[in-house]
């Protein structure tokens, strides 16, 4: 049997970010050396599935 291709689904989300929140995101980007998408993705994951 041939390999089945895994369907990749990308989600696009629009959020409003205040100036203060953007400053925090910029600071996290500097500290973690990650882009804004990665920083926000990890933040959402921590809200949805907090560490036990």
């Amino acid at each position: 049997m041939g390999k089945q291709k895994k369907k990749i689904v990308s989600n696009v989300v629009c959020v409003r970010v205040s100036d203060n929140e953007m400053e925090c995101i910029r600071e996290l980007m500097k500290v973690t050396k990650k882009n804004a998408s990665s920083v926000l993705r990890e933040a959402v994951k921590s809200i949805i599935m907090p560490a036990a």
Side-chain angles (χ1 to χ4, degrees), residues 40-52:
L40 292 172
R41 192 176 302 116
E42 289 181 16
V44 169
K45 282 183 184 177
S46 70
I47 292 168
I48 294 172
M49 299 183 310

Side-chain angles (χ1 to χ4, degrees), residues 5-49:
K5 289 187 178 181
K6 191 174 188 180
K7 186 176 180 181
I8 298 174
V9 178
S10 61
N11 298 315
V12 177
V13 178
C14 179
V15 294
R16 289 185 183 212
V17 179
S18 71
D19 291 339
N20 291 341
E21 290 167 330
M22 194 62 220
E23 280 302 313
C24 292
I25 292 168
R26 284 191 187 107
E27 187 64 29
L28 283 169
M29 289 169 59
K30 287 179 190 175
V31 171
T32 61
K33 295 185 174 35
K34 294 182 179 180
N35 60 30
S37 295
S38 296
V39 169
L40 292 172
R41 192 176 302 116
E42 289 181 16
V44 169
K45 282 183 184 177
S46 70
I47 292 168
I48 294 172
M49 299 183 310

